[in-house]
């Protein structure tokens, strides 16, 4: 059986940046995984867009716990999929793991499930882009702030076996 | 005689290879096993004759149900066992509140909620299912799932866990919606994890 879960690209920010884009993504995998770890200089929330689409084609359902309560909410008709927060603390690092399923097909809208973890809460999210277009670019954005130098971003591809 | 592992590791083409004490080469990593994509709706998807030489199994999939509802549950069984040998717990969010529940002595393990036919067209639930120590004959089998879907105004995301009260090795897995069929383009891929 062939090995998979293949590193595609990675970046360690040398300077603060408001977003990072993985472009020209190979169309040869089944699923994509994006993992980023680090912090921002303000609002810790992050979000995702596909193929430079900034229109209100996205929505997301969230579940999060902060150590005392469990809450769920939803954003509909929004311009990105909210992924939850990493960290804005002085020395805290947060991690977000994003799973993008069947990104290269042209028969389904694109579904994303993700989890965000930091010292404040843990979040689970399910989001969608209402487009059957294959995903060739992924932009990860900090919400009204910047990712700090040292934040890492990794993209992996998982290729399913033969049908 | 106690055996001390004398191992060395190297990274070759992104795959970790380990040479153990007797010089047998093993390869750790994440491996493809099988994939099923539905060209037409079907009541279930089965992975059978599962190789026994991995440590854990992982299933990744997208699914939609043909049921005339906004969503239905997805369930899993091992080795064609339809007895009341399973249990599940879940923590989910529906966009307005968090919900936790469980089911005991059931005939299946819950593995998520799948979007169904009255919800947004062309949209699918996504799931990542982990089956730990599936070939170990000294343990009951534990399943952990992260799953979710969103339909721009409705949706469910959450964690599901379950167990099968059997020490049998897992040789087959069936996934099905608890009503009607999986829709066309539903797709599940099985992977094995070594190391």
């Amino acid at each position: 059986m062939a090995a998979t879960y293949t590193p595609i690209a990675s970046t360690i920010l040398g300077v603060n940046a408001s977003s990072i884009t993985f472009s020209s993504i190979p169309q040869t995998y089944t699923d994509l995984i994006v993992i980023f770890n680090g912090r921002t200089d303000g609002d810790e929330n992050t979000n995702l867009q596909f193929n430079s689409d900034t229109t209100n084609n996205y929505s997301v359902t969230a579940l999060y716990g902060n150590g005392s309560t469990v809450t769920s909410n939803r954003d509909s008709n929004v311009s990105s999929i909210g992924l939850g927060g990493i960290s804005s603390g002085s020395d805290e690092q947060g991690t977000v793991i994003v799973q993008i399923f069947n990104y290269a097909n042209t028969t389904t809208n694109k579904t994303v499930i993700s989890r965000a973890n930091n010292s404040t809460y843990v979040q689970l999210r399910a989001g969608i882009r209402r487009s059957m277009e294959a995903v060739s670019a992924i932009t990860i954005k900090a919400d009204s702030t910047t990712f700090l130098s040292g934040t890492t971003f990794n993209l992996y591809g998982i290729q399913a076996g033969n049908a | 005689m106690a055996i001390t592992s004398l191992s060395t590791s190297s990274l070759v083409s992104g795959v970790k290879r380990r040479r153990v004490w007797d010089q047998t080469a093993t390869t750790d990593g994440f491996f493809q096993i099988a994939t099923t994509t539905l060209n037409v709706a079907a009541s279930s998807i089965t992975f059978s004759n599962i190789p026994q030489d991995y440590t854990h199994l992982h299933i990744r999939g997208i699914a939609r149900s043909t049921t005339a509802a906004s969503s239905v549950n997805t369930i899993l069984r091992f080795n064609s066992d339809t007895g009341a040998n399973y249990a599940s717990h879940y923590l989910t969010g529906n966009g307005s509140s968090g919900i936790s529940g469980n089911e005991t002595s059931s005939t299946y393990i819950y593995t998520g909620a799948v979007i169904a036919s009255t919800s947004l067209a062309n949209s699918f639930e996504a799931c990542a299912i982990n089956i730990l120590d599936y070939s170990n004959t000294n343990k009951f089998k534990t399943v952990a799932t992260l799953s979710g879907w969103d339909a721009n105004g409705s949706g469910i995301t959450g964690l599901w866990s379950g167990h099968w009260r059997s020490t049998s090795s897992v040789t087959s897995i069936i996934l099905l919606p608890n009503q009607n069929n999986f829709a066309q383009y539903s797709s599940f891929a099985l992977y094995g994890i070594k190391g």
Side-chain angles (χ1 to χ4, degrees), chain A residues 6 27 32 34 46 50 55 69 81-82 86 97 105 120 125 142:
Chain A
T6 306
Q27 300 294 296
L32 299 173
V34 179
T46 62
F50 291 134
T55 60
T69 59
I81 294 175
I86 51 171
I97 302 171
N105 80 28
T120 307
R125 288 174 173 255

Side-chain angles (χ1 to χ4, degrees), chain B residues 76-78 80-88 103-109 140 163-166:
Chain B
L76 170 153
R77 294 188 181 105
F78 293 127
S80 303
D81 180 5
T82 57
N85 296 317
Y86 305 87
S88 301
E103 192 152 327
T104 57
S105 297
S106 55
T107 58
Y108 48 77
I109 291 173
F140 290 168
H163 87 152
W164 181 38
R165 292 188 302 284
S166 171

